[in-house]
Amino acid sequence: MIPILLIILASTFFPGIITRIKAIHTGRKGPGIFQPWIDIFRLLRKGSVYSTSSSYVFQIGAVIYAATIFVAALFIPFEEKGTLFSFQGDFVVFAYLLGLGRFFLIISALDVSSGFEGMGANREALYSLLIEPSFFILMGSLAMFTGHGSFHDIFEALHYGSYFSIIIGIIAGFVFANITLIETSRSPIDDPLTHLELTMVHEVIVLDHSGFDLGLIKLANNIKFVLFSTLSANCMIPQSISLGWRMLMFIVLQICFAAGIGYFETYRARNKMAMNPQYILSINAVSVILIFVVIIIKNNL
Amino acid sequence: MEVLLFKIALVLTFTIFFIPKKWKHLFILGLQVLTIYASSSLAIRVLSSHSTLALPFDLDTWSGPMLLVIDELSAFFILVINLICFVGLIYAGGYLKPYLSKKRSVFISLHLFSFLWLHASMILVTSFRDGIAFLLAWELMSLFSFILVIFDADKETVLKTGINYLLQMHLGFALIMLGFIVTGIQTGEMSFDALQLYFSKFNNLPLFLLFFAGFGIKAGFIPVHTWLPRAHPAAPSHVSGIMSGVMIKMGIYGIFRVITYLQTDLLQIGLMVLFFSLLSGILGVLMAIMQHDLKKLLAYHSIENIGIIGMGLAMGIIGKATGDSFLSILGFGGALLHTLNHALFKSMLFFAAGNIFHATHQINMDHLGGLAKGMRWTSMIFLIGALAISGLPPFNGFISEFFIYKGTLNHITTSDFTFSIIGISTILGLVLIGGLCVFCFTKAFGLTFLGSRRSVKTQEAKEVPPIMLLPMILLIVAILFIGFFPGKAGQLILDILQGTSLAVNNDQLPSIISDFSNIGFVNIILVLTLGGLFVLRAWQQKRVTIAHGPTWGCGYTAGDHRHQYTPTSYADSLQQLADPLLLFKKDFKKFEPLEIFPPPRTFHTTSKDLIEEKTILSWVHSIVTTLPKLGFAQTGRINHYLIYPLLFIIILGLLTYLNVI
């Protein structure tokens, strides 16, 4: 239960911290730390407007998107006993579950016959297609390094012994952090806090969702963010120390990550849209470096 | 008994030419049920008793009496063939209805006749081990599928495509025959079983290559895939469904059969198969994304799926080569299960495409859109097919891909780094294919069924009659069964593998099965979560006001259907990235800087197959352009023609004199 509680806890504060940091650094008073959650609960209680050109797909899309992310959260490891689902190749199921949700998000965007949402759908499909290999290269090379095939075993074995695992942990953490940013379309891929029509990936895909559906999508997005940042943190937290220390480290890392994103989004403009594929491919290149690092280390040891 | 029944059914098909038009379909369906009963009972007997069945077919070729030999592998393929052909023929009843009044009775008879014979010849292909009998059945299969493809032969393009198909099939036939002849010369016997002897004596790679090329043409591996994207759109949908669903799998069956006899050169063979599979998988799906024609898109996806099956086979062979029995079981198992899975969802997708054509007389996605409102059931069927083919849980496509993932993953955690690189590239190939597939099917489903109509016709689209929907229920049940009970499906596949010589040790099998059951558990949790959220949503929606209005146009109120994404614009971003791999041309005139009153413009795109252009058409083109230059010799005067032999004799004399020959 602990990983799920931690994920819920982190996803409660994560978006709030980012907006707070951004508000402070842009010299605004800004909303409170709980504002994102207040927004979600308000949306969940609201009525909805449906486009007349939409069909049943639009009605089921948001729910399926949210459900896949909730189920994917059950795969994230943290404590020794493992998680609800832990078996060899569980990260494949994790990635494909997210893929299922994405499929429905994309087709429900295409359902409203708007050029804007078509654009968002297209970009979501393209970027996720480009970033997916780096997730698998990363997990594949971690599996190669540790000799295990599931999230839990990989992260547990990563911190046994050698100092080399620190190098690998850092590179892996870096790539995971970038995957987080790309999967959730934060800066530098996209800036979610610009005006709706200018936010070209994740926000534009949900332009026509409203009420309960929009609330679910926002909730799911927050959780998705924390899923990836937890994986990133798992690469850095040693498993040998006691659970309490690890939880503390986890919370500190999450806060640092959120704050980092806040700083980053304040001081750096997002990429030009046409540059994004190159950026994503460069992340893939970094993860390929990881394979070589693993090969070099394994053959020297 | 069963063999007799099978033969009686086949003989009775000839009477179809004398039956009233109205009853022809029902008559053939009856005979098909007989065939299915006969062959399935044999197959089930084999699967339940785990033994090989040998039955005399009571016909002789010049190499001896024909013998039906059914082992587990054949039995598996027979059951797949029976299921898909059965569904296909029921579906054909609805699909052919509009043609009954248009076509002459004899054409309808010939079509249905060929359908059953194609079905029967495929069963025979999987059960003959003798070379001559096998080639005979193989040839029957090609001929009858040719007749099925040219159903719309009034159109010249269809006939041309059909002939192209027939020629390519015979190229494959020649290669397979050559393979058997080589075996025959070296061992004295032309049969699959003689391969055992051949492979133990000689180099395995060359002969395997010959068979791989021959069977690969049928299966549609790139670069010998070019018949596939032509023949599938030209054929009627029920035919494309069974051709893509099961007929191309006969190529896979052949390769599988040959692999069971391999003994040496395993690593080279495995790497070669892996190379062609990765090529087929990635290029196949990339080409699919560029298509506007829905059936052509699906045809390219067949190539992609053959690539995935090939990856499974390659992993199996590499597993055997490196002594990793875990990898080899999971690789071959994945290939086998994906064969079944692809048969299920691809035939379903083709039938759904047939429904669209039936309702709108249009298969070009540029003109479709918004069909989900009029054709709700068809759209749901297509959606399930699209999710399954993209390899997404909780459907069956994911299970077979997971077989390959799991085997490869286990392999890279245990082996040295050369093989780890091979493993990582396989995983990478699968991931890329999966991602591209999602891209392609969000496009195919989204632009065909969702949004608003792109042309006048599609708004009138009405749902097709139930006979064109109900058969698909059978396929959906199978898809969901594999998706939700992967442990059972995995057990079945591994049992079948035990019957071949491919799976060696089985002490790890229980752990494999339990992992697959875990996926079933995940799927059930997913469905429960979904159910919970839907109930919550329904409860919430009852308490609030629900309004309907136009799509939010960001303040712009004059938006219409022309502002939607089209297949070309959706694929554009990817096309720019993958440009070197595609021959995609946009034909339009750019705006000049000082063009104040621009005249009307046209925009036209063409997408050609890079492999076909570079490997085949460029050669053909140069031959076609150079050969006419020799035409100067054909003067039409008899005295010139008499000079040519004289010249020939003189040259011969000279060459002999100079001791050249």
Side-chain angles (χ1 to χ4, degrees), chain B residues 240-283:
Chain B
S240 341
I242 61 159
M243 270 172 57
S244 183
V246 285
M247 200 192 70
I248 62 171
K249 305 293 162 36
M250 293 300 106
I252 296 294
Y253 166 78
I255 295 170
F256 223 113
R257 181 61 79 195
V258 176
I259 286 175
T260 56
Y261 298 107
L262 285 179
Q263 282 151 37
T264 53
D265 290 348
L266 289 171
L267 193 59
Q268 291 96 312
I269 290 174
L271 288 178
M272 188 203 69
V273 175
L274 183 64
F275 173 75
F276 284 112
S277 308
L278 281 173
L279 196 69
S280 308
I282 293 170
L283 278 184

Side-chain angles (χ1 to χ4, degrees), chain B residues 39 51 61 63 117 133 138 225 272 321 327 369 385 451 473 492 529 531 550 566 600 610 616 625 641:
Chain B
S39 52
S51 59
T61 61
S63 74
W117 271 84
W138 188 266
H225 66 288
M272 188 203 69
L327 177 63
I473 302 293
L492 190 75
T529 317
T566 62
L610 179 78
I616 300 168
T625 47
Y641 290 168

Side-chain angles (χ1 to χ4, degrees), chain B residues 34 55 103 277 526:
Chain B
L34 267 187
L55 300 162
K103 290 256 174 195
S277 308
L526 178 68

